[in-house]
């Protein structure tokens, strides 16, 4: 029989935000797969480092961030490398920061392997939840509608989405900060927005969006029309 694939949500960076289930599975699987950046170390691996048993096989996967060229071929190769272990009967845990099914790299592996193998997805603490907790800013209450917006979409689309909801979490900020700020300013929402960077990671910060010159890729902007940030 082929092995089982686990899409393991490992939270935003703080190892204490790993679930008990993720820790248990890391102690049981034969192989742990994780994305590695073009340069530098794997953030995902560093989050679980204390829970990797001796002898576990490590499968680092060179996967580009969303939207970068060559992504499809890289995901094909990563899926093939994982499939080889599954075919040999070995269980594989594929690590995914935050939650696997919220813009997670794991989605691209699930698409390729989900029909051929037994797959179990283990939810993780998403950056959206971690950012709200760090900022002390409730995401939504009562009849609030909360939208999750990837900053990479067109300015007009961001504006339409923001206009329809009481609250928003804007992901993938990085080089799209200027565009997001322009929309927030037009809607009179800049003072109701906060930028949470690297939540749960070294150097985490919470800053008001008004006046912000730059933001990293690992940043979430939270906006609430009726509940402005307490700690801005
Ligand atoms: C490809 S998405 C992955 C989201 C992840 N699966 C989740 O559930 O949080 C990457 C985006 O998530 C957000 N992000 C992930 N980790 C973060 C962190 N520790 N602090 C702030 N934002 C983070 C950023 O907006 C980043 O651009």
């Amino acid at each position: 029989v082929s092995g089982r694939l686990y899409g393991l949500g490992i939270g935003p960076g703080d190892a204490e935000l790993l679930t008990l289930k993720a820790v248990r599975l890391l102690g049981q699987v034969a192989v742990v797969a994780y994305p590695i950046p073009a340069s530098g170390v794997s953030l995902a691996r560093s989050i679980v480092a204390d829970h990797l048993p001796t002898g576990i096989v490590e499968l680092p996967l060179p996967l580009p961030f969303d939207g970068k060229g060559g992504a499809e071929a890289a995901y094909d190769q990563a899926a093939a490398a994982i499939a080889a272990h599954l075919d040999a009967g070995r269980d594989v845990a594929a690590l995914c920061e935050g939650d696997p099914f919220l813009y997670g790299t794991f989605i691209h592996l699930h698409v390729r392997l989900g029909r051929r193998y037994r797959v179990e997805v283990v939810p993780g603490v998403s950056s959206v939840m971690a950012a709200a907790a760090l900022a002390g800013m409730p995401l939504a209450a009562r009849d609030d509608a909360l939208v999750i917006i990837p900053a990479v979409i067109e300015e007009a689309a961001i504006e339409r989405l923001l206009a329809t909801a009481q609250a928003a979490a804007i992901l993938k900020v990085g080089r799209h900060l200027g565009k997001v700020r322009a929309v927030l300013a037009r809607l009179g929402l800049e003072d109701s927005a906060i930028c949470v960077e690297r939540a749960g990671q070294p150097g985490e910060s919470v800053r008001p969006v008004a006046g912000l010159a730059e933001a990293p890729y690992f940043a979430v902007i939270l906006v609430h029309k009726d509940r402005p940030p307490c700690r801005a």
Side-chain angles (χ1 to χ4, degrees):
V1 276
S2 51
R4 185 184 287 257
L5 174 62
Y6 296 95
L8 222 60
I10 57 170
D14 180 349
E16 285 191 298
L17 293 180
L18 281 167
T19 62
L20 294 176
K21 188 163 188 174
V23 171
R24 174 177 62 77
L25 287 168
L26 285 170
Q28 289 178 0
V29 295
V31 181
V32 62
Y34 46 82
I36 45 167
S39 62
V41 296
S42 163
L43 173 65
R45 189 194 183 283
S46 69
I47 295 171
V48 304
D50 288 348
H51 301 285
L52 294 180
T54 321
I56 194 167
V57 174
E58 297 196 27
L59 184 60
L61 304 168
L63 294 176
F65 281 132
D66 290 359
K68 291 275 168 66
E72 294 304 313
Y75 281 111
D76 287 347
Q77 283 172 22
I82 290 173
H85 283 290
L86 298 172
D87 288 338
R90 290 187 281 274
D91 290 346
V92 178
L95 306 183
C96 192
E97 286 156 45
D99 182 83
F101 273 176
L102 187 72
Y103 302 113
T105 46
F106 182 73
I107 295 169
H108 307 290
L109 299 172
H110 188 256
V111 164
R112 287 164 172 80
L113 300 168
R115 288 206 183 84
R116 281 160 57 200
Y117 299 97
R118 292 171 302 159
V119 179
E120 187 177 331
V121 177
V122 178
V125 176
S126 165
S127 59
V128 177
M129 282 66 204
L134 189 64
M137 183 165 163
L139 287 169
R142 301 180 188 232
D143 56 357
D144 292 344
L146 167 72
V147 288
I148 295 181
I149 304 174
V152 298
I153 62 175
E154 286 187 5
E155 197 166 318
I158 296 176
E159 188 159 346
R160 268 197 308 277
L161 288 164
L162 275 174
T164 58
Q166 276 75 44
I170 305 173
L171 277 67
K172 306 187 184 189
V173 180
R175 63 194 171 85
H176 302 282
L177 175 65
K179 180 172 66 177
V180 174
R181 278 196 60 190
V183 175
L184 291 170
R186 269 205 302 281
L187 296 174
L189 290 173
E190 261 205 321
D191 291 334
S192 309
I194 200 153
C195 184
V196 183
E197 301 175 11
R198 301 188 180 90
Q201 299 171 12
E204 68 183 11
S205 72
V206 181
R207 296 191 287 165
V209 168
L212 203 61
E214 55 183 34
Y217 174 76
F218 280 103
V220 175
I221 289 178
L222 299 176
V223 193
H224 202 297
K225 290 180 182 170
D226 312 320
R227 254 180 287 279
C230 312
R231 280 197 226 155

